[in-house]
Amino acid sequence: MPPNPGYAYRTQVHRPWPGVLAFLSHEYRHSTRATWAARLQQGELEVDGVRLTHDQPLRPGQTVTWHRPPWQEEAAPLHYAVLHEDEALLAVHKPAGLPTLPGGGFLAHTLLTLVQQDFPGAHPLHRLGRGTSGLVLFARTGAAGSALARAWREHEVRKVYRALAQGEAAQDAFTITTPIGPVPHPRLGTVHAASAGGKASLSHAQVRQRRAGQTLFDVQIHTGRPHQIRIHLASIGHPLVGDPLYGPGGTPLPDLPGLPGDLGYALHAWTLSLTHPLTGQPLTLEAPPPPELR
């Protein structure tokens, strides 16, 4: 694939800063001050729409823009399948390995970009992690988006995931309430994980099948914490098969960040049940699980 078209990252200034370079190296710690200085020299930085030629102080209310030049994105599966389409809603099947939204070096290689090429104006109502496959719901109108956002807040949308975990579960069902919050990581800075000081979280996991050294679960989540299913199953001693980050107890492994290739861990967004925002009728959507999760 050719490089993407580049992107303009805009950041609002909320307090005085002695210089643009100090501000950017604080806000975007993936790059050093020297790297930002090189970008300034290459003409990539603006303040309030004016291209910078030298470092300068900043005051609250100004906008700093970095015009990132086109870059070659990491490979990802650039396809999806339509599961449901009407004038208000669009449900699609996302493959593992494709990010839902831009971020982490991905811009064009995302589900959002692919879907909006075919359905301009559609916007996702939730997201799946890059390694998770399955159902993603988009709103096609503002009214549908508002109605479903309200239903999500009021826990009227039911989502069930299929997960293949390590170890054979000793009981048939689990109610998991492990709090989730940011914790330090030696290579990633911070990651969300099991944390006594984290936010309250709730999942219900039901055993579907026991296999040699593995358990197939259906998991329903009642809160939407980052990586909730991965963390919760790991917290009860059953990390996902293929998960490179979360180990038993729901805490991060120190030396294995990232995804195991394109396939990801064994987690799939299987079904989603809601009340249709136009008809008021119940609607259940399903993304068929991959063979190993059936």
Side-chain angles (χ1 to χ4, degrees), residues 185-245:
H185 189 278
R187 294 181 60 184
L188 301 177
T190 60
V191 296
H192 279 83
S195 170
K199 292 184 177 181
S201 307
L202 175 62
S203 302
H204 292 292
Q206 181 75 38
V207 172
R208 291 295 299 261
Q209 184 184 62
R210 291 178 177 87
R211 304 173 182 176
Q214 299 177 338
T215 300
L216 187 66
F217 286 99
D218 281 349
V219 185
Q220 185 176 354
I221 60 173
H222 299 271
T223 51
R225 311 303 178 209
H227 311 304
Q228 180 169 318
I229 294 176
R230 298 169 64 189
I231 295 167
H232 270 184
L233 288 181
S235 76
I236 61 170
H238 296 287
L240 293 184
V241 170
D243 195 324
L245 183 57

Side-chain angles (χ1 to χ4, degrees), residues 31-286:
S31 297
T32 65
R33 183 186 178 96
T35 300
W36 286 115
R39 290 169 178 157
L40 186 154
Q41 293 300 317
Q42 292 161 9
E44 298 175 10
L45 304 182
E46 289 182 352
V47 174
D48 291 340
V50 178
R51 194 65 56 103
L52 285 184
T53 58
H54 58 278
D55 199 7
Q56 67 179 50
L58 294 173
R59 61 181 183 274
Q62 290 187 299
T63 299
V64 178
T65 303
W66 171 35
H67 291 276
R68 184 178 181 180
W71 72 94
Q72 190 71 51
E73 297 180 36
E74 186 178 337
L78 301 180
H79 61 83
Y80 68 93
V82 174
L83 301 170
H84 174 89
E85 177 189 352
D86 62 39
E87 60 185 302
L89 301 178
L90 175 72
V92 305
H93 190 161
K94 182 187 86 69
L98 177 66
T100 303
L101 302 175
F106 289 93
L107 178 63
H109 294 187
T110 65
L111 180 67
L112 177 63
T113 298
L114 297 177
V115 167
Q116 289 188 338
Q117 288 173 353
D118 299 327
F119 301 92
H123 61 277
L125 294 164
H126 60 117
R127 58 164 292 178
L128 300 180
R130 182 186 170 198
T132 305
S133 62
L135 197 153
V136 180
L137 186 65
F138 286 73
R140 301 188 67 185
T141 68
S146 297
L148 285 170
R150 182 170 57 253
W152 237 291
R153 289 193 302 270
E154 297 174 359
H155 306 287
E156 296 173 354
V157 178
R158 181 175 182 267
K159 293 189 294 181
V160 180
Y161 290 74
R162 184 66 59 84
L164 184 61
Q166 303 172 37
E168 297 181 39
Q171 60 194 66
D172 291 335
F174 299 82
T175 296
I176 311 169
T177 58
T178 305
I180 294 174
V183 302
H185 189 278
R187 294 181 60 184
L188 301 177
T190 60
V191 296
H192 279 83
S195 170
K199 292 184 177 181
S201 307
L202 175 62
S203 302
H204 292 292
Q206 181 75 38
V207 172
R208 291 295 299 261
Q209 184 184 62
R210 291 178 177 87
R211 304 173 182 176
Q214 299 177 338
T215 300
L216 187 66
F217 286 99
D218 281 349
V219 185
Q220 185 176 354
I221 60 173
H222 299 271
T223 51
R225 311 303 178 209
H227 311 304
Q228 180 169 318
I229 294 176
R230 298 169 64 189
I231 295 167
H232 270 184
L233 288 181
S235 76
I236 61 170
H238 296 287
L240 293 184
V241 170
D243 195 324
L245 183 57
Y246 295 104
T251 54
L253 302 169
D255 299 320
L256 298 172
L259 287 172
D262 292 339
L263 300 180
Y265 31 79
L267 181 61
H268 179 80
W270 178 33
T271 67
L272 192 151
S273 302
L274 64 148
T275 299
H276 195 285
L278 288 186
T279 67
Q281 297 299 309
L283 176 65
T284 296
L285 304 165
E286 178 179 339

